[in-house]
């Protein structure tokens, strides 16, 4: 069943989304900050324990907003091809600020920060951050990581082997969520069997897939169901300017099957933050997609996002993230490179756009084409 969002008045929104594929739960939140709070839009608020959401039909509950750790240690796409002590300290500060703001769900992968060009593995960094934080007292952290479906990996045993290496890097006996990072060229049934094995052995509490189109998603759900293992998530590229999951049937299938959609690149790799303009485009690989021409076409949408944000005391990043949470059954995982970004993300919680605003932004964004992910169509 598709999700529905209903709003009643400025600052009040009601989101309906499937919790387990059989029933829907009504959620209503009221904006707590008046418009004059705009100057403090980056400040994060604590997220109450009862505001966590369950991943599909699994037993795992996570904060409504997670943090992606792709950039931590990376030197191939992020960090201007350099990882140094300053960036390490900033990443650690981002982790601590996320915890302090109630965002306790962290998503990493074995291929993030692989040993190239001075990179440091993201899993190792996250594990270090968790241990350092635990020295100050108990901390509730939910960890998700991913299996890389590399061509030379065959069968269910490759999944268990890779998982155990990830656990070693993380320094954890188990993780809450383990996902297949992308569909393999072959052997995907064996990979799914490996996920079920890991679940049954207690090495993971929930399993998921990533970058799966509708058919692959349904096939994975059915195969795991035969083992009595719920498919908890499908992690895909989803943002206001990249709505392919709505168009290719993935979002509707997730809602129908009771599979949570985890949205990566939820602010389009920073483009929906408003910091980039035709005169100031992003550098590095992102500049190949988000060109001055693209950013010129984006300006009418960004102007309206800013206008709506002012009325709530929120900035474009927070409005864009809130738009995603209003779709129901979606957990965005923006990447935080520093403490300021983490606290900014937390400001997307605790309030809701109205239904009219959600649809107005979707209409304005309809002609905008964001980054391509052909893997979802494979």
């Amino acid at each position: 069943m598709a999700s529905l969002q209903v709003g009643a008045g400025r600052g009040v929104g009601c989101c309906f989304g499937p919790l387990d594929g059989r029933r829907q739960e009504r959620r209503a939140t009221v904006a707590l900050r008046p418009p004059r709070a705009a100057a403090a839009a980056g400040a994060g608020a604590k997220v109450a324990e009862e505001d966590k959401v369950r991943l599909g039909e699994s037993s795992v509950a996570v904060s409504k907003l997670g943090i992606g750790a792709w950039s931590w240690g990376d030197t191939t796409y992020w960090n201007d091809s350099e990882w140094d002590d300053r960036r390490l300290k900033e990443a650690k500060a981002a982790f601590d600020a996320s915890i302090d703001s109630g965002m306790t769900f962290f998503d990493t992968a074995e291929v993030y920060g692989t040993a190239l060009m001075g990179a440091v593995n993201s899993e190792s960094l996250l594990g270090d951050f968790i241990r350092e934080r635990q020295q100050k007292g108990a901390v509730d952290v939910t960890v998700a990581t991913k299996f890389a479906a590399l061509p030379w990996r065959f069968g269910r045993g490759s999944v268990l082997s890779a998982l155990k290496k990830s656990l070693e890097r993380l320094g954890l006996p188990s993780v809450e969520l383990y996902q297949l990072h992308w569909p393999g060229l072959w052997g995907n049934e064996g990979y799914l069997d490996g996920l079920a094995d890991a679940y049954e052995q207690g090495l993971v509490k929930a399993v998921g897939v990533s970058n799966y189109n509708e058919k692959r998603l349904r096939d994975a759900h059915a195969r795991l169901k035969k083992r009595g293992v719920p498919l908890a998530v499908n992690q895909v590229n989803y943002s206001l300017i990249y709505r392919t999951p709505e168009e290719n049937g993935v979002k509707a299938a997730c809602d129908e099957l009771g599979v949570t959609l985890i949205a990566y690149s939820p602010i389009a790799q920073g483009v929906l933050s408003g910091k980039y303009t035709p005169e100031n485009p992003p550098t590095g690989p992102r500049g190949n997609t988000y060109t001055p021409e693209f950013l010129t076409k984006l300006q009418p949408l960004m102007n309206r996002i800013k206008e709506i944000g002012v009325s709530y005391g929120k900035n474009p990043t927070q409005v864009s993230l809130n738009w995603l949470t209003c779709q129901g059954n979606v957990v965005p995982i923006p990447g935080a490179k520093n403490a300021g970004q983490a606290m900014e993300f937390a400001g997307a919680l605790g309030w809701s756009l109205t239904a009219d605003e959600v649809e107005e932004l979707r209409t304005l964004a309809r002609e905008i084409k964001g980054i391509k992910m052909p893997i979802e169509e494979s």
Side-chain angles (χ1 to χ4, degrees):
M1 185 177 296
S3 61
L4 173 68
Q5 198 265 4
V6 181
R10 172 70 64 186
V12 179
C14 300
C15 298
F16 296 79
L19 186 62
D20 59 6
R22 297 182 298 272
R23 63 186 176 84
Q24 292 185 323
E25 178 182 359
R26 185 173 189 245
R27 298 186 184 278
T29 54
V30 180
L32 301 178
R33 292 185 178 84
R36 62 183 177 82
K46 293 285 187 180
V47 181
E49 182 71 22
E50 58 267 23
D51 284 338
K52 287 187 175 182
V53 294
R54 190 153 57 97
L55 296 181
E57 297 181 358
S58 76
S59 62
V60 177
V62 302
S63 50
K64 291 183 178 180
L65 207 64
I67 296 295
W70 178 16
S71 69
W72 295 357
D74 180 72
T75 59
T76 57
Y77 195 89
W78 302 102
N79 304 308
D80 298 320
S81 301
E82 182 181 3
W83 185 254
D84 54 22
D85 189 59
R86 175 181 64 81
R87 290 178 173 85
L88 172 61
K89 291 179 179 178
E90 289 179 346
K92 175 60 165 58
F95 173 84
D96 286 332
S98 299
I99 296 293
D100 293 339
S101 299
M103 297 177 296
T104 57
F105 176 39
F106 295 88
D107 179 83
T108 183
E110 63 173 326
V111 296
Y112 293 167
T114 51
L116 297 172
M117 299 172 60
V120 178
N121 187 272
S122 174
E123 290 176 325
S124 298
L125 289 173
L126 178 57
D128 289 343
F129 296 164
I130 293 172
R131 284 187 292 276
E132 290 174 24
R133 180 78 182 205
Q134 287 174 333
Q135 293 177 359
K136 302 177 182 179
V139 57
D140 176 23
V141 176
T142 303
V143 175
T145 191
K146 309 183 202 70
F147 167 84
L150 301 171
W152 54 85
R153 285 179 163 172
F154 297 96
R156 63 208 304 168
S158 64
V159 176
L160 288 172
S161 176
L163 171 59
K164 290 174 182 178
K165 291 179 181 177
S166 287
L167 293 176
E168 288 178 7
R169 286 187 290 269
L170 287 161
L172 298 172
S174 65
V175 290
E176 282 72 23
L177 175 64
Y178 196 50
Q179 305 149 96
L180 303 182
H181 204 155
W182 59 80
L185 296 175
W186 47 69
N188 289 292
E189 291 185 347
Y191 296 155
L192 291 167
D193 291 340
L195 286 184
D197 293 342
Y199 178 85
E200 291 174 351
Q201 293 179 25
L203 297 175
V204 301
K205 296 179 181 177
V207 299
V209 293
S210 181
N211 297 306
Y212 268 45
N213 62 24
E214 181 186 358
K215 182 181 185 307
R216 289 186 182 278
L217 174 67
R218 291 184 181 278
D219 289 347
H221 180 272
R223 189 172 185 87
L224 289 169
K225 187 175 182 179
K226 291 179 180 178
R227 293 276 298 272
V229 178
L231 178 64
V233 309
N234 185 18
Q235 183 178 147
V236 296
N237 187 351
Y238 187 25
S239 71
L240 179 55
I241 59 172
Y242 186 83
R243 298 179 314 287
T244 298
E246 298 176 358
E247 300 160 357
N248 65 7
V250 165
K251 176 63 166 66
C254 284
D255 294 346
E256 173 194 336
L257 298 173
V259 175
T260 298
L261 191 154
I262 295 180
Y264 70 78
S265 295
I267 53 174
Q269 299 184 358
V271 171
L272 288 172
S273 69
K275 68 181 290 186
Y276 299 115
T277 65
E279 297 75 30
N280 178 40
T283 59
R286 289 178 296 166
N288 297 326
T289 298
Y290 302 115
T291 63
E293 292 76 16
F294 174 89
L295 293 170
T296 297
K297 296 178 182 178
L298 187 65
Q299 290 313 297
L301 173 63
M302 291 307 307
N303 290 338
R304 184 57 183 141
I305 289 174
K306 292 174 183 177
E307 290 173 357
I308 291 174
V310 167
S311 66
Y312 289 99
K314 301 295 178 181
N315 64 29
T317 293
Q318 295 160 341
V319 172
S320 298
L321 290 172
N322 190 271
W323 183 90
L324 273 178
T325 63
C326 284
Q327 307 313 307
N329 193 36
V330 176
V331 177
I333 52 167
K337 293 165 58 174
N338 55 58
Q341 289 180 348
M343 291 187 289
E344 179 183 36
F345 298 156
L349 297 170
W351 61 286
S352 180
L353 295 167
T354 66
D356 288 344
E357 289 164 341
V358 168
E359 291 310 313
E360 179 187 4
L361 292 178
R362 178 181 277 108
T363 299
L364 286 172
R366 194 156 280 144
E367 300 303 318
I368 303 296
K369 303 299 180 183
I371 191 169
K372 302 294 183 182
M373 286 297 293
I375 192 172
E376 294 169 11
E377 304 302 327
S378 62

